[in-house]
């Protein structure tokens, strides 16, 4: 727990959480502390502070938005919060806010303490239009799912700092499930949400795994399924409603990385087949064919159009830049047919 003056608190909240305007009549003797636990898919913060007023305007949202919903448990003191036409005074209860919307709040009492779960929008398996109805409403934390969630957060804050990183990531999944179940209960739909939240989290993990292993020519849907302890059928089911199949995703990201490398002046000395191999293509012929299908030109043609072959006079360089801009404006985006096999 770190304690400091009001200016530190303002800077920390605006830089590490989100831009917001803070005011207090107690600047001279202001006391605050912030503790943060990284739980992987979600974050957990413990915040204590002297009385403070907060205001997040549309300008603040434009300046910086983590695109989170924040589920806060007020464990000491009280919080007055207003957002999207709703206003509540919350004490000993939970309250939901959205970082993408303007809001106003006030911490009352000599010292206010809250536990805040930061949940990225993309992993919350509840529609934005449905969650909006819960914003800035006092939600009971002494009965049912709310009480279970509240007790879990308090224990996690106490025990979490002594856990290994992999244990904290597991606790993050549980936190997301409990928070989603609690919100779904408030919406009158407790059944499906936790399973949907787990599916979204699994998709996020798989996307990160693909990004980190694009250079491995052995990266296949079967390998991905095995590394994530699921069947191949389950993996394909996760991607059923996604824009690309698993194989098409691998192919797209490999081609995009190779496309960028071929246009990089620092890599002009590397052969095309070396760059292809760097991004998991074991066959130069298959790479060239896939690249042409995606971008409409060969890898060598793309490199030639992106990099000048020799230093040019200023006038020629300016003409070259205009020609390059015209070429890139006319270049179609990648086209990836669906399929079960990534070119390699």
């Amino acid at each position: 727990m770190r304690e400091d003056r009001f200016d530190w608190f303002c800077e920390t909240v605006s830089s590490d959480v989100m831009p917001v305007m803070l005011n207090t009549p107690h600047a001279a003797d202001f006391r605050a502390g912030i503790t943060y636990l990284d739980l992987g898919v979600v974050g957990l913060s413990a915040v204590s502070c002297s009385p403070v007023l907060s205001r997040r305007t549309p300008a603040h949202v434009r300046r910086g938005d983590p695109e989170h919903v924040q589920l806060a448990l007020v464990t000491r003191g009280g919080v007055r919060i207003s957002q999207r036409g709703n206003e509540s005074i919350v004490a000993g209860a939970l309250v939901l806010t959205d970082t993408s919307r303007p809001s106003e709040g006030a911490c009352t009492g000599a010292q206010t303490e809250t536990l805040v779960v930061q949940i990225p929008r993309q992993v919350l398996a509840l529609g934005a239009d449905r969650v909006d109805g819960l914003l800035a409403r006092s939600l009971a934390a002494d009965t049912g799912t709310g009480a279970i969630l509240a007790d879990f957060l308090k224990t996690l804050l106490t025990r979490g700092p002594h856990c290994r990183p992999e244990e904290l990531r597991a606790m993050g999944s549980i936190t997301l499930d409990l928070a989603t179940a609690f919100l779904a209960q408030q919406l009158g739909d407790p059944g499906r949400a936790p399973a949907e939240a787990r599916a979204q989290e699994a998709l996020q993990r798989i996307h990160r795994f693909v990004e980190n292993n694009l250079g491995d020519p052995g990266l296949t849907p079967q390998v991905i399924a095995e590394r994530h302890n699921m069947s191949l059928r389950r993996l394909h089911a996760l991607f059923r409603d996604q824009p690309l199949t698993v194989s098409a995703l691998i192919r797209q990201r490999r081609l995009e990385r190779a496309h960028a490398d071929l246009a990089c002046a620092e890599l002009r000395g590397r052969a095309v087949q070396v760059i292809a191999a760097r991004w998991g293509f074991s066959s130069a012929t298959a790479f060239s064919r896939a690249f042409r299908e995606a971008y409409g030109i060969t890898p060598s043609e793309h490199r030639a159009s992106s990099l000048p072959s020799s230093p040019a006079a200023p006038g020629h360089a300016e003409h070259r830049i205009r020609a390059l801009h015209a070429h890139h404006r006319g270049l179609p985006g990648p086209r990836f047919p669906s399929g079960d096999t990534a070119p390699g």
Side-chain angles (χ1 to χ4, degrees), residues 43-218:
L44 176 64
S45 298
V47 182
S48 67
C49 64
S50 302
V52 65
L53 304 175
S54 68
R55 187 165 182 248
R56 182 161 162 83
T57 67
H60 289 122
V61 174
R62 290 192 296 270
R63 191 182 310 159
D65 180 13
E67 297 184 357
H68 288 173
V69 291
Q70 298 183 331
L71 185 59
L73 172 67
V74 183
T75 58
R76 179 182 177 187
V79 173
R80 177 180 55 78
I81 186 73
S82 61
Q83 188 172 57
R84 201 175 178 268
N86 299 331
E87 182 170 355
S88 300
I89 297 177
V90 185
L94 289 146
V95 63
L96 186 72
T97 56
D98 185 347
T99 66
S100 300
R101 296 180 180 274
S103 62
E104 293 188 7
C107 295
T108 60
Q111 196 78 5
T112 299
E113 296 179 0
T114 59
L115 301 180
V116 186
V117 183
Q118 292 110 16
I119 308 173
R121 270 285 189 180
Q122 67 267 25
V123 303
L124 185 65
L126 297 169
D129 54 338
R130 302 178 63 208
V131 173
D132 281 352
L134 298 178
L135 296 178
R137 295 189 181 279
S138 181
L139 307 172
D142 57 354
T143 60
T145 311
I148 295 172
L149 174 61
D151 288 345
F152 178 79
L153 295 179
K154 294 172 186 176
T155 302
L156 185 55
L157 178 67
T158 302
R159 305 294 185 184
H162 307 291
C163 293
R164 298 188 302 272
E166 60 270 22
E167 292 177 315
L168 289 177
R169 288 193 294 270
M171 292 301 99
S173 298
I174 295 171
T175 303
L176 177 61
D177 278 357
L178 285 174
T180 305
F182 169 72
L183 295 174
Q185 187 75 47
Q186 301 300 310
L187 294 168
D189 183 18
R192 293 173 51 192
E196 293 174 359
R198 284 192 293 272
Q200 288 297 318
E201 183 193 352
L203 279 171
Q204 294 293 320
R205 289 201 312 271
I206 290 166
H207 276 271
R208 288 193 297 269
F209 182 81
V210 168
E211 287 296 316
N212 292 333
N213 292 276
L214 289 172
D216 180 2

Side-chain angles (χ1 to χ4, degrees), residues 5-15 18 20 22-23:
R5 296 295 184 182
F6 184 62
D7 54 353
W8 167 82
F9 185 71
C10 293
E11 180 181 350
T12 300
V13 172
S14 290
S15 62
M18 59 184 177
V20 65
L22 299 172
N23 290 291

